[in-house]
C-alpha cells in the first residue's frame, strides 16, 4: 500500500501542471535550494572556526552545546511559518478499503520528507565529527541520536500545532506568544539563559551519553500524540483548511462607488486580496517592505550612493505593483470565463488595475514619508520613484500580464507555493530592474543626479499622461491573446 | 438569433465540434442533448467567444461573435463555477452583475425578491462566500445572475445537474415563462431527457461533435430520445 501511495505522490508532483512542466522554474527552484543548502553547508563546515573566532581561547564545545537548543527554538518558529501540512492529498483514499492506520502512518511518514529535517545534520554533523568524535566516539553518537530526536520532535510538534490551529485559530497565536515570551525571558528580561539550559543538558551528555535517549523518548511521545490526533480527526471537514466557520459579511466601499463599474472592479479586487490567503500575504509582504529603507539608509556605506536609494525607493513605493502584479491576471483565473462573457469592458478592466496600483502605491508612498528623518532628499527620491512606478512599471506589469496564462488556485497558501510561477515572472524582473538605471546612471555620470532624477520623474509623468494610449494598445494586444489566457486559466 | 456556419474545433487531432450549419431563430427554446464528449460545452464556449474555432464562424443577430462584444448586451450564460467570483458573497456578486447592467442595488434587491422561492432561503443573507456554497447553490447564484441581466438570449449548461428536485421544477417553470411570456431565446443542455423535452420546443442531439438529430418537440420526442440513448437494451 505504502508503495502505491509513494507512486501516486510522485505522479502528482511530476504531472502537476504548475510544478512539472516548466523547465525554467525547475532550474531556478533547484538553484535556490542548492544555494540555500550550500550556504548552510559552509556554515556547518566552518562552525568550529566561527565559534573559535567568537569565543577566543575558550572551550568551543560549551558554546556549541549552548546554541543547540536555541537552534531548535528557531527551527520550530520557522516550521510553524513554512512547513506544509501533507493533508488534503488523503481525500481520495478515505472512502476506499484502506485502513485508517495505514493512511495516518503514511501521512506521518511523508511529513518527515521536509527540508527542515536536513538542516540539523548539515549544520551540526561536521562539528560533531571534527571536535567531539576524536574525544569520544560514543558521545558523538549520542549527539547524533539527540539531534535526530529533537528534529523528529520538532517536526511532529510543528505539524500538531498547525493541525490544531486549523481547527482553532487562537492556538497559533497562543503558541507564537509563548515562543516570543520564552525568547524575551532570555534576551530581554534575562530571567534565565536558554544557552545555559542547553549546555546543562548537552554538556552532561558528553559524560553520560545515555541522556540522548531523552530526546528520542520525547520524539516518540510527540509522534504518538500527533498520530492519535490525526487518526481522530481524519474527516474532510477537519482536513479542509478553509472552512466556512464564521459569518461572512457583505462589504461595500462607498468611496469606490463613485467610479462606476471601474470602481466596482477595484472593489472586487480589494476583496480578492483581503479574502484569499496568497494575495493577502503578497500585500502583507509589501507592508514589511516599508521597513526596507531601515536596512540601508542608516548604513554610512550607502549614505552618498543615490543610485541605491533610487532602487530602494522603487521597491518601497512599488512593491505591491511588482509582488502582486507579476501574477496578473492569474489571480482571477478561476472566474476569467465569467469576466470574458460579462459586460465588463476590457478597457474598464485595465483602468481598474491602474486605479488599484495607483491607490496602493500612494498609500505606500505616504507610509515612507517618515524616512524624511534621513533627509528630505530621500523622500524626494521616493516621490520620483513613485511617479516612475505609476507611469512605467504599471504598464510593464500589465504588458506581461497579457502573456501570463498560468492558473492560480486562490485557496492555497503562499509559502513554497510555486503555482502560477513561470517564465513571465523571470522575464518581468529584467525590464523592471534595468529600465530606471538605463536612464539614471548615464545621466548621473554625464550631467548630474538632479537632472537624472528629473528625467525619471518626467518620464513617469509622461507615461501617466499616456495611460489612455497604453490602455488602447494593451486592449489590442489582449484581443489576440485572450483565448490562450482563458484556456490556460481553465486548465486545473 | 444565432447562426452557425461551418464551425470546426479540433483538439489533439480530433474534431470535437463539427457543425456545417445551424440556425436558431429568436424566441426558440433549444434543448441540447448528447452523451459526455458530444461537444455541447465546446459549442457553448464558441458561441460565447471563449474559445477560438478552427474553422467557420458564429453569428449572433447577424454579426460575428468572435472578436466582438455587441452580443454581450443581450446574452447571459452560466456554464460552470468558472463564471462566478467565488470570494464574493452572493449579494456582492449579484450587485456587481446588476451594476454592470446599470441596475441600482435597490433594483437588484427588488428583482431578487421575485427569486425568493427559487433561492429557497439558501442563498441570500447566509453569511457565506460563493466558494463555501454547495455546487447546487452555486448554480442557483449563476442562474440568478443570468436572469438579473434580463437577456434576450439565455444559455445554460446542464443547469439541472446539481440542483434539488424542487428547484429543478421551479427552474423549468422559469424557463418556460421566459420563453412563452417574454420571447427569450434559450439554449439549455441537459442529460435529463424528461426535463429537457419539457422545456424545449426544439431538440438538438449531438454525438461526437456532430449534430445527428434536429427535431421539433412533439409527444413522441421523449420516446425517440430514450430510444437513442438506450444502448443495447432489448426489452
Amino acid at each position: 500500500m505504502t508503495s502505491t501511495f509513494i507512486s501516486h505522490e510522485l505522479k502528482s508532483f511530476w504531472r502537476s501542471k504548475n510544478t512539472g512542466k516548466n523547465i525554467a522554474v525547475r532550474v531556478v527552484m533547484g538553484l535556490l535550494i542548492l544555494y540555500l543548502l550550500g550556504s548552510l553547508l559552509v556554515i556547518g563546515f566552518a562552525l568550529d572556526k566561527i565559534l573559535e573566532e567568537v569565543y577566543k581561547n575558550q572551550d568551543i564545545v560549551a558554546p556549541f552545546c549552548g546554541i543547540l537548543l536555541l537552534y531548535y527554538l528557531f527551527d520550530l518558529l520557522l516550521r510553524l511559518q513554512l512547513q506544509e501540512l501533507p493533508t488534503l492529498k488523503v481525500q481520495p483514499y478515505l472512502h476506499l478499503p484502506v485502513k485508517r492506520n495505514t493512511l495516518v502512518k503514511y501521512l506521518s511518514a511523508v511529513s518527515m520528507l521536509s527540508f527542515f529535517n536536513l538542516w540539523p545534520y548539515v549544520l551540526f554533523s561536521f562539528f560533531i565529527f571534527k571536535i567531539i568524535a576524536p574525544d569520544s566516539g560514543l558521545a558523538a553518537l549520542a549527539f547524533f541520536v539527540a539531534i535526530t530526536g529533537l528534529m523528529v520532535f520538532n517536526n511532529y510538534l510543528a505539524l500538531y500545532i498547525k493541525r490544531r490551529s486549523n481547527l482553532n485559530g487562537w492556538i497559533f497565536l497562543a503558541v507564537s506568544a509563548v515562543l516570543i515570551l520564552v525568547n524575551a525571558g532570555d534576551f530581554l528580561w534575562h530571567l534565565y539563559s536558554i544557552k545555559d539550559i542547553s549546555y546543562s543538558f548537552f554538556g552532561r551528555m558528553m559524560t553520560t551519553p545515555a541522556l540522548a535517549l531523552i530526546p528520542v523518548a520525547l520524539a516518540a511521545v510527540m509522534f504518538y500524540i500527533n498520530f492519535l490526533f490525526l487518526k481522530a480527526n481524519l474527516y474532510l471537514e477537519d482536513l479542509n483548511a478553509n472552512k466556512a466557520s464564521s459569518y461572512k459579511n457583505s462589504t461595500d466601499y462607498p468611496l469606490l462607488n463613485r467610479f462606476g463599474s471601474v470602481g466596482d472592479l477595484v472593489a472586487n479586487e480589494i476583496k480578492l486580496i483581503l479574502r484569499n490567503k496568497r494575495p493577502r500575504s503578497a500585500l502583507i509582504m509589501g507592508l514589511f517592505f516599508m521597513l526596507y529603507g531601515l536596512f540601508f539608509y542608516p548604513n554610512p556605506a550607502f549614505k552618498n550612493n543615490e543610485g541605491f536609494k533610487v532602487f530602494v525607493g522603487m521597491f518601497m513605493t512599488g512593491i505591491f505593483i511588482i509582488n502582486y502584479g507579476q501574477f496578473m491576471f492569474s489571480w482571477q483565473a478561476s472566474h476569467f470565463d465569467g469576466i470574458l462573457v460579462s459586460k465588463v469592458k476590457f478597457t474598464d478592466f485595465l483602468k481598474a488595475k491602474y486605479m488599484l496600483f495607483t491607490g496602493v502605491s500612494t498609500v505606500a508612498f505616504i507610509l515612507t514619508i517618515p524616512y524624511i528623518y534621513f533627509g528630505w532628499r530621500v523622500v524626494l527620491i521616493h516621490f520620483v520613484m513613485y511617479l516612475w512606478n505609476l507611469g512605467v512599471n504599471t504598464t510593464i506589469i500589465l504588458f506581461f500580464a497579457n502573456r501570463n496564462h498560468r492558473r492560480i488556485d486562490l485557496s492555497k497558501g503562499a509559502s513554497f507555493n510555486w503555482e502560477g510561477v513561470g517564465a513571465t515572472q523571470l522575464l518581468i524582473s529584467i525590464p523592471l530592474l534595468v529600465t530606471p538605471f538605463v536612464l539614471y546612471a548615464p545621466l548621473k555620470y554625464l550631467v548630474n543626479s538632479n537632472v537624472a532624477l528629473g528625467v525619471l520623474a518626467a518620464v513617469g509623468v509622461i507615461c501617466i499622461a499616456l495611460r489612455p494610449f497604453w490602455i488602447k494598445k494593451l486592449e489590442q494586444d489582449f484581443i489576440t491573446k485572450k483565448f490562450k489566457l482563458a484556456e490556460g486559466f481553465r486548465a486545473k | 438569433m444565432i447562426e452557425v456556419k461551418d464551425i470546426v474545433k479540433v483538439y489533439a487531432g480530433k474534431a470535437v465540434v463539427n457543425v456545417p450549419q445551424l440556425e436558431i431563430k429568436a424566441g426558440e427554446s433549444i434543448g441540447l442533448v448528447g452523451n459526455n464528449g458530444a461537444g455541447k460545452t465546446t459549442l457553448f464556449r464558441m458561441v460565447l467567444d471563449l474559445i477560438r474555432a478552427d474553422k467557420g464562424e458564429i453569428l449572433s443577430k447577424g454579426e460575428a461573435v468572435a472578436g466582438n462584444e455587441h452580443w454581450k448586451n443581450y446574452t447571459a450564460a452560466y456554464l460552470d463555477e468558472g463564471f462566478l467570483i467565488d470570494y464574493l458573497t452572493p449579494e456582492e456578486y449579484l450587485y456587481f452583475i446588476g451594476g454592470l447592467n446599470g441596475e441600482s442595488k435597490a433594483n437588484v434587491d427588488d428583482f431578487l425578491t421575485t427569486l425568493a422561492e427559487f433561492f429557497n432561503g439558501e442563498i441570500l443573507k447566509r453569511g457565506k462566500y460563493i466558494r463555501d456554497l454547495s455546487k447546487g447553490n452555486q448554480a442557483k447564484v449563476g442562474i440568478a445572475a443570468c436572469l438579473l441581466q434580463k437577456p434576450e438570449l439565455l444559455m445554460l449548461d446542464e443547469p439541472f445537474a446539481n440542483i434539488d428536485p424542487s428547484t429543478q421544477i421551479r427552474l423549468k417553470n422559469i424557463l418556460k415563462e421566459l420563453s412563452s411570456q417574454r420571447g427569450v431565446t434559450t439554449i439549455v443542455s441537459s442529460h435529463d431527457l424528461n426535463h429537457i423535452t419539457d422545456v424545449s420546443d426544439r431538440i438538438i442531439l449531438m454525438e461526437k461533435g456532430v449534430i445527428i438529430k434536429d427535431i421539433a418537440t412533439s409527444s413522441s420526442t421523449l420516446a425517440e430520445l430514450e430510444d437513442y440513448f438506450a444502448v443495447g437494451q432489448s426489452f
Side-chain angles (χ1 to χ4, degrees):
Chain A
M1 200 64 225
T2 312
S3 65
T4 318
F5 283 150
I6 292 172
S7 98
H8 287 184
E9 196 86 14
L10 287 174
K11 279 177 188 157
S12 91
F13 177 75
W14 289 114
R15 293 181 185 177
S16 140
K17 284 222 159 76
N18 288 299
T19 41
K21 279 187 182 155
N22 198 300
I23 291 184
V25 175
R26 251 191 275 174
V27 168
V28 172
M29 213 161 121
L31 284 178
L32 262 175
I33 290 170
L34 273 183
Y35 171 74
L36 210 75
L37 216 61
S39 320
L40 286 175
L41 261 176
V42 170
I43 296 177
F45 193 73
L47 191 60
D48 50 330
K49 298 279 181 297
I50 297 170
L51 288 176
E52 256 169 35
E53 197 57 40
V54 180
Y55 299 89
K56 285 201 171 83
N57 307 321
Q58 287 175 41
D59 178 25
I60 52 168
V61 175
F64 175 73
C65 294
I67 58 169
L68 279 177
L69 200 61
L70 266 181
Y71 166 78
Y72 280 104
L73 273 177
F74 179 66
D75 176 63
L76 187 62
L77 208 74
L78 268 186
R79 280 176 195 265
L80 284 177
Q81 294 298 328
L82 300 174
Q83 196 165 3
E84 290 280 320
L85 278 180
T87 42
L88 260 181
K89 293 172 194 155
V90 299
Q91 199 168 323
Y93 308 102
L94 284 175
H95 64 288
L96 296 173
V98 179
K99 284 216 166 60
R100 280 180 163 247
N101 273 352
T102 320
L103 271 177
V104 175
K105 268 185 213 151
Y106 173 71
L107 265 184
S108 307
V110 153
S111 72
M112 288 300 293
L113 296 174
S114 163
F115 269 101
F116 287 102
N117 294 334
L118 220 71
W119 290 21
Y121 294 117
V122 171
L123 277 173
F124 302 131
S125 48
F126 290 108
F127 188 92
I128 297 174
F129 274 123
K130 273 156 76 178
I131 309 293
I132 298 175
D135 278 357
S136 151
L138 199 61
L141 182 69
F143 265 91
F144 267 111
V145 172
I147 63 171
T148 309
L150 282 176
M151 172 201 91
V152 175
F153 174 77
N154 256 6
N155 187 59
Y156 289 113
L157 179 62
L159 292 182
Y160 180 71
I161 293 170
K162 281 199 122 173
R163 290 209 168 94
R164 275 251 118 126
S165 48
N166 252 358
L167 302 180
N168 181 353
W170 289 104
I171 295 201
F172 190 79
L173 286 179
V175 170
S176 308
V178 167
L179 276 177
I180 290 169
L181 283 178
V182 164
N183 279 307
D186 181 356
F187 297 105
L188 209 62
W189 303 321
H190 304 290
L191 297 177
Y192 48 81
S193 159
I194 297 171
K195 272 186 175 175
D196 288 350
I197 299 169
S198 179
Y199 178 64
S200 65
F201 176 76
F202 287 104
R204 241 166 243 161
M205 219 165 65
M206 299 288 289
T207 46
T208 340
L211 280 174
L213 293 176
I214 294 177
V216 175
L218 279 175
V221 169
M222 200 60 237
F223 173 82
Y224 193 61
I225 293 175
N226 191 56
F227 182 87
L228 287 183
F229 180 76
L230 247 187
K231 199 177 164 192
N233 291 289
L234 208 55
Y235 293 96
L236 284 187
E237 51 177 0
D238 300 333
L239 292 175
N240 211 334
N242 40 342
K243 293 173 298 170
S245 44
S246 60
Y247 192 92
K248 304 291 195 301
N249 279 314
S250 297
T251 357
D252 193 24
Y253 304 106
L255 184 73
L256 290 169
N257 286 344
R258 280 190 248 160
F259 296 96
S261 67
V262 176
D264 282 349
L265 289 171
V266 175
N268 280 354
E269 191 135 13
I270 292 174
K271 286 170 190 166
L272 186 157
I273 296 165
L274 296 179
R275 292 176 183 179
N276 293 290
K277 256 190 194 166
R278 196 168 155 194
R280 197 165 51 218
S281 343
L283 184 72
I284 292 169
M285 268 281 279
L287 282 178
F288 275 111
F289 250 86
M290 296 297 109
L291 305 172
Y292 200 53
L294 287 180
F295 288 105
F296 297 104
Y297 294 155
N299 192 331
F302 297 113
K303 189 140 197 178
N304 293 313
N305 187 345
E306 274 206 356
F308 213 80
K309 288 177 186 160
V310 166
F311 181 77
V312 174
M314 180 174 85
F315 266 103
M316 285 203 293
T317 56
I319 185 65
F320 177 79
I321 297 175
I322 297 167
N323 211 0
Y324 178 79
Q326 63 175 335
F327 292 113
M328 274 180 180
F329 309 118
S330 298
W331 299 117
Q332 283 150 305
S334 70
H335 58 270
F336 204 69
D337 277 354
I339 292 174
L340 287 182
V341 302
S342 76
K343 275 167 208 154
V344 175
K345 287 196 197 73
F346 193 68
T347 47
D348 284 351
F349 187 74
L350 286 175
K351 277 183 202 159
K353 302 284 179 219
Y354 274 117
M355 196 163 143
L356 179 79
F357 284 149
T358 309
V360 179
S361 280
T362 308
V363 172
F365 171 68
I366 292 168
L367 285 177
T368 64
I369 288 180
Y371 281 108
I372 203 160
Y373 176 77
F374 297 101
W376 64 270
R377 205 174 159 80
V378 168
V379 176
L380 176 79
I381 294 173
H382 288 178
F383 187 68
V384 169
M385 292 323 285
Y386 162 74
L387 293 175
W388 175 269
N389 275 320
L390 293 187
V392 182
N393 284 351
T394 45
T395 309
I396 294 179
I397 286 276
L398 290 172
F399 173 78
F400 278 95
N402 274 347
R403 282 151 185 77
N404 178 21
H405 42 83
R406 279 159 193 283
R407 185 187 171 88
I408 285 184
D409 184 349
L410 284 172
S411 61
K412 296 208 178 96
S415 47
F416 292 122
N417 188 346
W418 290 79
E419 197 179 44
V421 181
T424 318
Q425 281 73 32
L426 302 175
L427 284 175
I428 217 169
S429 55
I430 299 167
L432 286 182
L433 297 179
V434 173
T435 14
F437 290 99
V438 168
L439 284 175
Y440 177 83
L443 283 169
K444 186 189 167 185
Y445 290 110
L446 293 175
V447 195
N448 63 44
S449 76
N450 284 341
V451 171
L453 286 175
V455 168
L456 282 184
V459 171
V461 170
I462 291 170
C463 286
I464 294 172
L466 283 176
R467 270 185 187 177
F469 172 75
W470 300 131
I471 288 175
K472 219 163 88 192
K473 284 283 162 212
L474 286 167
E475 190 187 12
Q476 287 165 1
D477 185 42
F478 173 78
I479 289 166
T480 64
K481 308 236 163 25
K482 73 168 190 181
F483 295 106
K484 207 172 169 207
L485 285 178
E487 196 186 337
F489 291 160
R490 239 175 264 137
K492 280 193 180 123
Chain B
M1 191 74 168
I2 296 286
E3 215 179 321
V4 177
K5 284 183 178 170
D6 206 14
I7 207 106
V8 178
K9 179 72 192 175
V10 178
Y11 278 127
K14 236 182 94 193
V16 290
V17 168
N18 182 0
V19 179
Q21 209 274 327
L22 174 69
E23 201 189 336
I24 293 167
K25 292 199 183 67
E28 273 190 309
S29 48
I30 307 289
L32 194 56
V33 292
N35 287 328
N36 294 334
K40 303 183 297 288
T41 307
T42 311
L43 184 61
F44 272 139
R45 285 192 174 142
M46 282 192 287
V47 176
L48 293 169
D49 196 27
L50 287 173
I51 52 181
R52 205 195 312 257
D54 291 311
K55 217 182 112 195
E57 64 172 350
I58 294 176
L59 308 181
S60 183
K61 284 193 176 173
E63 272 186 272
V65 165
N68 283 319
E69 301 204 294
H70 63 93
W71 52 272
K72 287 185 180 173
N73 295 323
Y74 54 86
T75 306
Y78 180 71
L79 303 192
D80 53 44
E81 307 87 74
F83 280 50
L84 300 173
I85 305 179
D86 64 359
Y87 52 82
L88 299 182
T89 62
E91 289 91 339
E92 285 171 342
Y93 179 67
L94 293 165
Y95 289 148
F96 170 64
I97 296 291
L100 289 174
N101 290 277
E103 302 272 4
S104 70
K105 283 187 182 173
N107 282 349
V108 173
D109 282 333
D110 276 352
F111 179 78
L112 292 179
T113 52
T114 65
L115 286 178
E117 203 193 16
F118 179 67
F119 283 157
N120 201 20
E122 286 167 272
I123 307 294
L124 301 177
K125 303 203 174 67
R126 295 304 303 264
K128 283 181 176 180
Y129 294 143
I130 293 175
R131 65 176 175 224
D132 300 324
L133 297 173
S134 70
K135 267 204 155 194
N137 283 334
Q138 287 178 344
K140 285 188 202 170
V141 176
I143 293 167
C146 288
L147 301 176
L148 179 62
Q149 299 177 53
K150 308 217 164 61
E152 291 170 46
L153 171 63
L154 174 66
M155 297 170 60
L156 301 173
D157 193 12
E158 294 185 33
F160 300 111
N162 291 302
I163 54 180
D164 57 76
S166 311
T167 313
Q168 289 178 17
I169 291 165
R170 284 180 194 127
L171 177 60
K172 279 207 295 187
N173 293 335
I174 291 174
L175 287 172
K176 282 183 197 165
E177 195 206 302
L178 281 180
S179 138
S180 64
Q181 315 272 317
R182 298 195 210 153
V184 175
T185 315
T186 57
I187 309 178
V188 177
S189 80
S190 180
H191 292 308
D192 190 312
L193 303 176
N194 277 308
H195 288 333
I196 201 70
T197 43
D198 195 11
V199 297
S200 324
D201 48 37
R202 179 177 162 197
I203 297 283
I204 292 174
L205 172 60
M206 288 182 81
E207 186 183 277
K208 292 181 180 139
V210 182
I211 294 177
I212 55 168
K213 268 189 175 104
D214 185 347
I215 44 178
T217 317
S218 65
S219 53
S220 66
T221 310
L222 182 59
E224 198 180 334
L225 288 176
E226 277 174 344
D227 215 34
Y228 165 79
F229 285 106
V231 194
Q233 279 182 358
S234 48
F235 53 84

